[in-house]
Amino acid sequence: MSSLSRELVFLILQFLEEEKFKESVHRLEKESGFFFNTKYFDEKVLAGEWDEVEKYLSGFTKLDDNRYSMKIFFEIRKQKYLEALDKQDKAKAVEILVQDLRVFSTFNEELYKEITQLLTLHNFRENEQLSKYGDTKTARTIMLGELKKLIEANPLFRDKLTFPTLRSSRLRTLINQSLNWQHQLCKNPRPNPDIKTLFTDHTCAVPNGPLAPSPVNQPVTTLTKPTAFPSLGGGAHGPFPPGAAVAAAANAGALASWMAAAASGASTVQAAVVTPASIPLPQNQVSILKRPRTPPATPGVVDYQSPDHELMKRLRPAPSVEEVTYPAPRQHAPLSLEDLPLKAAVALHQGSTVTSMEFHPMQNTLLLVGSATGEITLWELAVREKLVSRPFKIWDMANCSPPLQALIAKETPMSVTRVAWSPDGNFIGVAYTKHLIHLYAFSGPNELRQHAEVDAHVGAVNDLAFANPNRQLCVVTCGDDKLIKVWDISGRKHFTFEGHDAPVYSICPHHKENIQFIFSTAIDGKIKAWLYDNMGSRVEYDAPGKWCTTMLYSADGSRLFSCGTSKDGDFFLVEWNESEGSIKRTYLGFQKKLAGMVQFDTSKNHFLAVGEDAQIKFWDMDNISVLTSTDAEGGLPALPRLRFNREGNLLAVTTADNGFKILANQAGIRSLRAVETSAFEKMRTPADSPLSKAVPVASGSCKVERGSPVRPSPMLNGVDPPKPRIDDSTDKPKPWQLAEILDPAQCRHATLPDTSGSSTKVVRLLYTNSGAGILALGFNGIQRLWKWVRNEQNPSGKATAATVPQHWQPNSGLLMTNDVSGVNLEEANPCIALSKNDSYVMSAAGGKVSLFNMMTFKVMTTFMPPPPASTFLAFHPQDNNIIAIGMEDSTIHIYNVRVDEVKSKLKGHQKRITGLAFSTTLNILVSSGADAQICFWSIDTWEKRKSVAIQMPAGKAANGDTRVQFHVDQIRILAVHETQLAIFDASKMECIRQWIPQDSLSSPISSAVYACNSQLIYTTFRDGNIGVFDADTLRLRCRISPSAYLPQGNQGLSPLVVAAHPQEPNQFAVGLNDGSVKVIEPTEAEGKWGMVPPSEASNTSPSTTSNQTPEQLQR
C-alpha cells in the first residue's frame, strides 16, 4: 500500500479512537498491519486472553516469519501450557501440546520432548529450569517483558510501534478544508452554506432555480480560484484528486503520473500517491512521463485515456524531430534459412534433467546450465569441457528462515528453476524450487565465487532476471508467494510488488526512454506492469491461453513477444502492439496439445524459436507461418528448452537423456572451431607450437595408440562421440602429461590434532555437511570430531589444510562410544551415517546401532541389537526417520526410528551388505555386498528390480567389500572394489566404464569417493599412493605419492578411507591405519589436481570405454 494510503489509515484510526469505536480500532490495526498497539497487547497478555493475543499478532507476523516471531509464539503457547498444568487440567495441557506446541518439534525436537515430559510431573516446578516459576500473574508479567524485547528486535515490527504525532481530529480538519475548497469553487457561493452530505461534492443552489452543474469535471484551469488555495491539477471525483500535479513536478520519484490506475476498480487514492523510489530515478524521467494530453474537444470533459493504452503509449520510444510520423517498413538484411542454427554440432551429457540454460552475454561459446538436482555447470562448448560445476548447498544455514530450515531438515530436493547472467557477464543468478536464490561472482573460466545467498520467496522462486534501474545492478525475482521482489547485488531487498492473485510465473524487466519497468505474468494468465516504486501495478492484461506465459523483447528492445500455454495444452505465440496494449499478430504452426510449459526465445531481431512436439520450430518475426523446423537429429523431449547465444548462431536445446545439444549455422560452427583451436594451442608444448610446426586437420577419426588404455567409445544415451580434429602421430610429443606429486612442497596437507601415533586405525571418515568439520570412526568404535573455527587465517570457517582445527568435545568430556560389548573387533564391520543437518550421527561397531547428538555426544537411542550385526547405514533422503540398514546376514532392513519398527526386509545378496545409496531422481535404493553384487530396489515397493555382478578381472574371486556412491546427477554410480573402479548407469542398470589398477597404481584399492561436484574421483591404494581420476573418463589426472604426505621412515602406513569436502571439489581427507587423519589440497598456485587431457576435452559424454578390451568386459 502506498504512503498516503497508509497515512489515511492512521487518520481513520485516530477518528475511531476519538469516537470510542474500540473494537473497530483494534481490528483495523490488525488488518492493516500499520500500527501495533502495545497498550492493547499488554492488556490482553496480562488478562490471559491467549486466543485474542495470537489473533492480534497474526496481523503483523506469522509463526514462521523469522526467529523472533517463532520465539514470540513459543513463549505465549508455553505460558498457556504451563497455566493449564498449574490448574491440573491435564486434558487441556495435552490439547495445547498437540495443537499449539507440536509445530515447534520440527525445529527443536529435544525441547518438545522436555515439554512433553512435564505432563508426567505432579508439579512442573519439579523441573529444575521451572523451579522459580511463581504465580500466574507474576509469570505473565515476566513473560510480557520478554515479549516486548522480542517485538522491538523483530524487523517486521519496525516503524509499527509508534503512532504518528497528529493534531486532534485531523481527519475532520481535512474534510472541512475540502468542503471550504469546494465552496470556493461554487459559481454562486452563498454565505453560511448548509452542508448536508459528504457523499457528493458540495455546490450552492442557484437562487430561484435547480442546483448548478458541478464544475468539478471541468478543467480546473478554466476556473477562477482564490489565491489562498494552491492548484490541485486536473479535477476528479472524490476527496483525493488523482494526478496531483504540483507534488509530481516537485518529486523525481513521482512515477504515479506515468500511468493512471487500472480501470477495473482501481482506487483513486492510489493514483494520487507519490513516493520516492528506493532506487533513485533520473530527474528527466518526470518530464518524460508528463507529456501533455490532447485538449478535449468537448468543453467540460477531460479525455481520460484507458490505462492499457496509456501504458503502451508511454513504453513506445518517442520519435525524433527528423522522423516521419507514418509507419515505415522495418529494415534488416534479407533472411535466409542458412542464418538459422539447424545443424547439430555438439551433444553433451549433463547427467540430470536440464531445467535452465543461458549463454554468456559476451563469450558466445560459454553456456551456463542448471539442472533438476540443483547443480549448476559452466560449459565451454568449443572444447566440450565442464569448466566449473557447483552442486546445491546451503551456504549459511543461520540466515535461512525457519520454513526453509524445516525443508532442509526433511532433505527436500532442490531443483534449479532459472539461471541468468548479469548484462556485463560478471554475475550469475540461480533460482531454486524452494525459497532460495544464489548469486555468484564470475571473474574467469574457472573462477565462480559465492557472492550472496537470499531466502527470497516462500515456496518456489519461479524466475530470476537482472535489471539496471538508474544504472544500479539489481536482481528481480518472482515466486509461488504471488510476489515480485527487487534486490541489490548484495542481496538487500529494495522493493516488494504485491497485486497478483496467483503464483507469479515469469518476469521481464525492460526500459524505454530511461523508464525502467517490469512485466510479470502469473499462472492465472494475468499480465501486470510495474515501475520501481511502491505504487502497485499500472495495468493488467489477460495473456492468450490465460495460464503460464513468458514475455521477451527482441534484441534491440523494440518488439515485445509472449509465448504461453493454456490449461488444455494449447500453445500461443504472439507479438504485442505496444501502442494499444493489444495483440499485433498471432503465429501459427502448433499442431498438438501437450501437457507442460512451452519454451521460446528470440534471435537478434530476426527469428523466433519454440520447442514443441520434440522439435524446434522457427518463425520469421514478420511472418505468422512457420519458417522451418528441425528435430536436431532426434532425442529431444516433447517440450525442449532452448536458448540462443547473443549472435544467434548457436542454439542450445535440451535432450531427453539428461543432456543438451548445440545447434549451429556456419558462423556458429566456425566460432566453435576457432575457440577449440585456441584452447588446444594453449595446451601445446613450445616445441609443438604452430610457429614451428603446422598441425593438419584430420578428415576422419584419429588413430589410437597401441599402448593407450583408451579404446574407441560406443554411443551412450543417444550421443555419438565426437570425431577428434587433430591427427596425432605416434612420434609427436604429447601436449599433456600426468601430474606426479612426489614432494610435500607440491601440495598442502595437514594432520589433525590428537591423531598422530594412535594405534586405533580409522575405518570410516566423513566431512560434516557444513564443510566445517571431520568425523572419524575408529576401529574400536569411538568417534572423534574436529572442527575448524572462523578467524583471520580462515575467514570462511570451513575445513582447510592451511589451519589446524580443534579436536572438539562437549564440556562434559563425553566420548561418542559405540556399544562393543561382546564384540570381536577384528571381525566387526563399523558403519556410520550423518544426518543432513549435522545434528545427529548414527553408527555401529558390531553391536547395537547408536544415535548420537552431535552437540552433547549423548546417546539418544539404540536399536537393532545383534545378531545379525549392522554393517552399513544410510538415511532415507526424504525422511530422516527412515534408515536403510545393511546387515551381516546379507539382508537390508528398512527401519523407522520414530516407531522403532522394521518396515521391510530386503533379500537379494549372498554375503554381508557393504554399501547403500539412495537416488531420488530414479526413486531407487542401490546396495552392494561382499558377494560383488549390486542390487537395485524400488523405494516405493521395496521390490528388487535387478541384480548386476561386478565384472572381476581374470583369476579374481567374486568377493570382497564393494562400496557404492551416486554421482550428483543421481543416475551414475561409482562402485569401488579392491580390484577396480566401475561406473554404472543406474537408469539402465548396467556398467558403462571400468578401470583396473595398473602401472604405478597397481596396488589394491582401499577406498574411493566422488569429489563434491562429481568431476573427480579420489582413490587411495594400500601402498599409500593416491590417484585423482577424471570422473567421466576414469583417466588418471594426478598421482600423489606417499612421500608427498606421509612422514619419512614410516613404512607400513597407508590410507584406509578417503572423504571428499562437501563444497571444495579439490579438497579431500584420508584416514590412516595408524589412526591419523590428514587433509590434503593442491597448492594455492595450482588450485586443482592436474589438468584435463585435450583428448578428453572433446568428449561429449561419459563413454563406455575401459582400460580392458571389450572381450574382457564381456567376461
Side-chain angles (χ1 to χ4, degrees):
M1 190 179 288
S2 56
S3 59
L4 287 187
S5 297
R6 187 173 185 270
E7 292 181 2
L8 176 59
V9 172
F10 281 109
L11 295 178
I12 296 172
L13 285 173
Q14 183 195 46
F15 171 79
L16 294 174
E17 183 72 27
E18 290 172 344
E19 295 298 315
K20 309 300 182 185
F21 294 110
K22 295 294 185 183
E23 291 184 9
S24 300
V25 169
H26 303 312
R27 184 167 181 176
L28 181 56
E29 289 168 351
K30 179 181 77 71
E31 291 184 350
S32 67
F34 291 155
F35 174 62
F36 184 82
N37 193 325
T38 53
K39 182 179 179 182
Y40 174 72
F41 182 76
D42 294 356
E43 291 174 358
K44 296 302 176 184
V45 169
L46 295 176
E49 297 180 23
W50 306 120
D51 291 342
E52 180 58 27
V53 167
E54 286 204 24
K55 185 178 179 181
Y56 188 69
L57 272 173
S58 68
F60 302 88
T61 184
K62 300 293 185 293
L63 181 147
D64 56 2
D65 279 345
N66 57 43
R67 58 192 179 94
Y68 300 102
S69 300
M70 180 174 291
K71 180 69 171 171
I72 290 169
F73 280 95
F74 175 76
E75 290 296 330
I76 291 169
R77 295 179 183 185
K78 183 185 74 173
Q79 180 63 29
K80 181 179 174 182
Y81 175 66
L82 293 178
E83 289 184 16
L85 289 176
D86 208 21
K87 295 175 183 178
Q88 297 299 316
D89 190 349
K90 292 293 180 71
K92 182 66 174 176
V94 170
E95 179 184 338
I96 296 169
L97 184 69
V98 173
Q99 295 183 2
D100 296 338
L101 289 170
R102 187 178 184 85
V103 65
F104 300 102
S105 66
T106 306
F107 310 100
N108 193 331
E109 191 169 355
E110 286 303 306
L111 179 60
Y112 183 73
K113 288 179 180 178
E114 291 182 18
I115 293 174
T116 304
Q117 289 172 358
L118 297 179
L119 286 168
T120 64
L121 303 177
H122 177 71
N123 186 339
F124 64 82
R125 293 173 180 83
E126 295 171 17
N127 183 288
E128 183 180 350
Q129 297 181 22
L130 297 172
S131 59
K132 296 182 180 180
Y133 185 96
D135 57 72
T136 299
K137 182 177 180 181
T138 303
R140 288 176 180 174
T141 303
I142 294 172
M143 181 195 67
L144 180 60
E146 293 299 316
L147 292 180
K148 286 184 175 180
K149 293 177 183 177
L150 291 168
I151 289 170
E152 289 172 0
N154 195 328
L156 296 177
F157 288 84
R158 194 168 296 146
D159 301 325
K160 296 181 180 181
L161 301 178
T162 305
F163 199 93
T165 303
L166 301 174
R167 291 185 179 181
S168 61
S169 303
R170 177 61 180 161
L171 185 59
R172 291 181 181 275
T173 300
L174 290 174
I175 292 173
N176 287 334
Q177 290 175 347
S178 174
L179 293 172
N180 287 332
W181 172 248
Q182 292 174 37
H183 183 60
Q184 292 291 336
L185 294 179
C186 288
K187 289 185 176 180
N188 301 294
R190 298 173 59 185
N192 302 318
D194 184 16
I195 306 297
K196 294 183 178 180
T197 180
L198 298 177
F199 293 162
T200 59
D201 293 330
H202 163 72
T203 57
C204 294
V206 178
N208 301 321
L211 290 175
S214 172
V216 85
N217 282 334
Q218 297 181 10
V220 178
T221 53
T222 64
L223 305 176
T224 304
K225 305 182 185 67
T227 56
F229 294 93
S231 169
L232 293 181
H237 294 288
F240 297 92
V246 175
N251 193 324
L255 300 182
S257 59
W258 183 43
M259 297 175 233
S264 56
S267 168
T268 55
V269 175
Q270 179 176 343
V273 174
V274 178
T275 56
S278 301
I279 300 175
L281 295 163
Q283 288 292 332
N284 66 347
Q285 185 153 314
V286 172
S287 61
I288 292 173
L289 302 182
K290 289 186 75 252
R291 295 177 183 158
R293 288 178 177 158
T294 304
T298 306
V301 179
V302 177
D303 179 22
Y304 284 100
Q305 301 175 30
S306 72
D308 290 7
H309 175 79
E310 185 67 10
L311 167 64
M312 291 303 182
K313 178 180 177 182
R314 299 302 185 187
L315 292 181
R316 185 177 57 202
S320 64
V321 176
E322 293 81 7
E323 282 184 322
V324 292
T325 56
Y326 54 84
R330 191 175 300 273
Q331 300 294 324
H332 54 63
L335 300 179
S336 167
L337 288 179
E338 294 181 356
D339 295 326
L340 288 172
L342 296 174
K343 181 178 178 57
V346 178
L348 295 168
H349 186 72
Q350 176 67 21
S352 59
T353 303
V354 175
T355 55
S356 182
M357 301 178 291
E358 190 82 22
F359 279 94
H360 190 279
M362 272 80 80
Q363 302 178 43
N364 284 325
T365 60
L366 204 57
L367 180 67
L368 177 64
V369 177
S371 70
T373 62
E375 179 187 29
I376 63 165
T377 305
L378 194 58
W379 289 86
E380 175 47 72
L381 301 177
V383 294
R384 285 71 159 168
E385 181 181 356
K386 290 182 180 180
L387 300 180
V388 183
S389 184
R390 294 285 186 269
F392 172 77
K393 294 286 183 183
I394 297 293
W395 297 350
D396 190 349
M397 181 69 77
N399 287 334
C400 296
S401 64
L404 178 55
Q405 292 187 24
L407 290 171
I408 295 165
K410 295 177 182 177
E411 302 180 14
T412 304
M414 292 281 191
S415 298
V416 174
T417 57
R418 184 77 163 90
V419 293
W421 289 96
S422 63
D424 56 9
N426 291 332
F427 290 95
I428 286 171
V430 187
Y432 295 96
T433 51
K434 302 294 180 186
H435 290 253
L436 283 179
I437 64 169
H438 280 168
L439 300 177
Y440 291 88
F442 175 75
S443 54
N446 296 300
E447 299 295 329
L448 200 59
R449 181 173 50 82
Q450 295 177 0
H451 186 74
E453 180 179 63
V454 183
D455 193 340
H457 293 270
V458 178
V461 184
N462 294 325
D463 202 3
L464 175 149
F466 286 91
N468 273 296
N470 198 31
R471 298 181 181 177
Q472 178 179 345
L473 184 62
C474 288
V475 181
V476 186
T477 62
C478 66
D480 280 353
D481 53 8
K482 308 174 187 178
L483 302 177
I484 300 105
K485 297 184 181 182
V486 181
W487 318 80
D488 65 22
I489 200 63
S490 63
R492 186 167 59 92
K493 185 169 65 176
H494 282 264
F495 297 102
T496 298
F497 300 140
E498 302 181 33
H500 277 291
D501 297 323
V504 186
Y505 177 68
S506 72
I507 45 178
C508 177
H510 198 59
H511 65 91
K512 292 275 187 179
E513 300 179 346
N514 295 325
I515 303 172
Q516 301 280 346
F517 57 92
I518 303 166
F519 278 119
S520 63
T521 68
I523 64 172
D524 59 0
K526 297 297 182 183
I527 300 174
K528 293 179 181 285
W530 317 77
L531 291 180
Y532 291 86
D533 58 18
N534 294 307
M535 295 170 59
S537 66
R538 297 319 203 272
V539 296
E540 180 179 295
Y541 305 118
D542 284 327
K546 297 185 179 180
W547 200 38
C548 296
T549 294
T550 305
M551 305 187 79
L552 286 176
Y553 273 89
S554 57
D556 62 2
S558 63
R559 304 174 72 175
L560 177 62
F561 302 90
S562 74
C563 185
T565 310
S566 73
K567 291 183 178 180
D568 296 328
D570 294 316
F571 301 137
F572 300 89
L573 177 64
V574 303
E575 180 179 4
W576 289 84
N577 185 320
E578 292 188 277
S579 300
E580 304 296 334
S582 58
I583 293 173
K584 182 176 181 179
R585 59 169 57 90
T586 300
Y587 297 90
L588 308 177
F590 296 110
Q591 302 296 326
K592 294 184 178 180
K593 291 188 176 184
L594 297 171
M597 315 303 181
V598 67
Q599 305 289 320
F600 89 118
D601 200 9
T602 64
S603 170
K604 302 186 78 171
N605 304 312
H606 292 177
F607 301 111
L608 298 168
V610 175
E612 186 246 356
D613 194 20
Q615 56 186 320
I616 308 300
K617 296 182 177 180
F618 297 90
W619 284 263
D620 172 356
M621 287 182 176
D622 296 323
N623 193 320
I624 63 173
S625 298
V626 174
L627 182 62
T628 189
S629 63
T630 178
D631 64 357
E633 299 180 6
L636 303 189
L639 294 172
R641 299 176 183 274
L642 50 86
R643 187 65 65 192
F644 282 104
N645 70 347
R646 181 184 57 146
E647 297 300 323
N649 54 31
L650 298 178
L651 178 65
V653 298
T654 57
T655 57
D657 59 356
N658 297 329
F660 58 93
K661 293 183 178 183
I662 303 300
L663 308 186
N665 58 18
Q666 287 302 313
I669 291 173
R670 286 194 297 271
S671 70
L672 289 174
R673 287 176 177 171
V675 177
E676 180 181 19
T677 302
S678 173
F680 180 77
E681 294 300 344
K682 289 178 182 178
M683 294 187 286
R684 296 173 63 88
T685 60
D688 197 32
S689 70
L691 295 176
S692 60
K693 194 173 188 178
V695 179
V697 178
S699 58
S701 60
C702 68
K703 298 177 182 179
V704 180
E705 295 180 273
R706 292 182 180 180
S708 172
V710 180
R711 298 281 185 262
S713 304
M715 186 174 67
L716 173 68
N717 293 341
V719 180
D720 288 311
K723 296 180 179 180
R725 301 182 180 280
I726 307 302
D727 187 7
D728 288 333
S729 60
T730 55
D731 61 346
K732 188 173 291 185
K734 294 282 189 293
W736 169 86
Q737 289 183 339
L738 172 69
E740 295 264 334
I741 296 179
L742 308 175
D743 189 85
Q746 292 178 278
C747 67
R748 294 189 296 169
H749 58 91
T751 302
L752 304 194
D754 302 328
T755 65
S756 297
S758 170
S759 59
T760 305
K761 61 185 179 183
V762 178
V763 290
R764 298 290 179 264
L765 192 66
L766 297 173
Y767 277 88
T768 59
N769 292 295
S770 66
I774 287 180
L775 187 65
L777 174 59
F779 170 74
N780 58 0
I782 297 176
Q783 294 163 113
R784 293 173 292 170
L785 176 65
W786 293 267
K787 290 184 178 181
W788 277 259
V789 295
R790 195 186 304 268
N791 52 37
E792 291 183 2
Q793 291 76 27
N794 185 22
S796 70
K798 304 293 185 182
T800 174
T803 62
V804 179
Q806 297 176 350
H807 183 199
W808 195 88
Q809 278 184 276
N811 294 331
S812 63
L814 278 178
L815 296 175
M816 283 191 284
T817 305
N818 278 288
D819 168 39
V820 293
S821 56
V823 175
N824 183 346
L825 293 178
E826 295 293 336
E827 297 179 357
N829 291 277
C831 48
I832 187 171
L834 184 63
S835 66
K836 283 292 181 66
N837 57 9
D838 293 336
S839 297
Y840 305 101
V841 63
M842 176 176 56
S843 61
K848 291 183 288 188
V849 178
S850 300
L851 186 67
F852 295 90
N853 185 306
M854 284 281 282
M855 293 301 296
T856 64
F857 285 11
K858 290 181 179 179
V859 177
M860 309 302 299
T861 186
T862 59
F863 48 91
M864 305 300 290
S870 303
T871 57
F872 204 91
L873 303 167
F875 282 100
H876 191 288
Q878 295 169 330
D879 188 349
N880 270 339
N881 293 308
I882 304 297
I883 304 166
I885 306 175
M887 309 301 289
E888 193 173 34
D889 67 353
S890 77
T891 62
I892 302 167
H893 292 189
I894 307 302
Y895 177 75
N896 189 315
V897 179
R898 187 178 293 278
V899 298
D900 189 21
E901 181 181 343
V902 176
K903 295 293 187 182
S904 296
K905 186 180 290 187
L906 315 183
K907 297 180 180 180
H909 288 275
Q910 303 303 315
K911 296 182 180 180
R912 71 176 184 275
I913 304 301
T914 58
L916 295 168
F918 284 95
S919 169
T920 53
T921 299
L922 300 176
N923 214 29
I924 60 173
L925 168 67
V926 175
S927 62
S928 59
D931 55 0
Q933 295 281 325
I934 295 179
C935 295
F936 300 82
W937 313 83
S938 166
I939 291 178
D940 296 327
T941 62
W942 299 116
E943 294 179 353
K944 187 168 75 171
R945 293 183 178 179
K946 191 176 181 179
S947 180
V948 179
I950 291 179
Q951 299 162 12
M952 305 299 292
K956 294 288 185 179
N959 56 31
D961 288 4
T962 306
R963 298 298 167 88
V964 287
Q965 181 191 2
F966 268 104
H967 188 283
V968 292
D969 64 12
Q970 292 277 290
I971 294 175
R972 281 173 281 175
I973 304 169
L974 169 65
V976 183
H977 188 268
E978 64 176 9
T979 65
Q980 65 190 272
L981 301 176
I983 305 295
F984 285 79
D985 183 340
S987 64
K988 298 180 180 179
M989 304 181 196
E990 63 185 25
C991 181
I992 59 174
R993 177 70 57 85
Q994 190 182 46
W995 181 89
I996 306 297
Q998 60 187 284
D999 301 329
S1000 61
L1001 296 178
S1002 58
S1003 180
I1005 296 169
S1006 58
S1007 182
V1009 66
Y1010 273 124
C1012 63
N1013 60 6
S1014 294
Q1015 292 188 20
L1016 301 174
I1017 297 174
Y1018 298 113
T1019 308
T1020 57
F1021 296 81
R1022 290 182 187 172
D1023 62 0
N1025 277 294
I1026 300 173
V1028 182
F1029 292 81
D1030 183 89
D1032 284 341
T1033 64
L1034 288 188
R1035 289 197 62 181
L1036 184 64
R1037 288 179 58 164
C1038 176
R1039 182 181 75 88
I1040 304 172
S1041 169
S1043 60
Y1045 71 98
L1046 295 179
Q1048 292 183 355
N1050 279 277
Q1051 299 298 324
L1053 275 185
S1054 67
L1056 299 181
V1057 286
V1058 62
H1061 192 287
Q1063 285 117 31
E1064 296 295 333
N1066 288 295
Q1067 184 190 128
F1068 63 93
V1070 292
L1072 306 183
N1073 56 359
D1074 70 343
S1076 60
V1077 177
K1078 295 180 181 290
V1079 175
I1080 304 176
E1081 296 175 307
T1083 61
E1084 286 187 330
E1086 291 292 334
K1088 61 182 180 180
W1089 300 108
M1091 65 182 294
V1092 181
S1095 60
E1096 289 174 42
S1098 61
N1099 280 352
T1100 62
S1101 68
S1103 75
T1104 61
T1105 62
S1106 76
N1107 59 328
Q1108 292 182 299
T1109 63
E1111 292 81 3
Q1112 287 175 304
L1113 275 178
Q1114 290 171 5
R1115 285 199 299 267

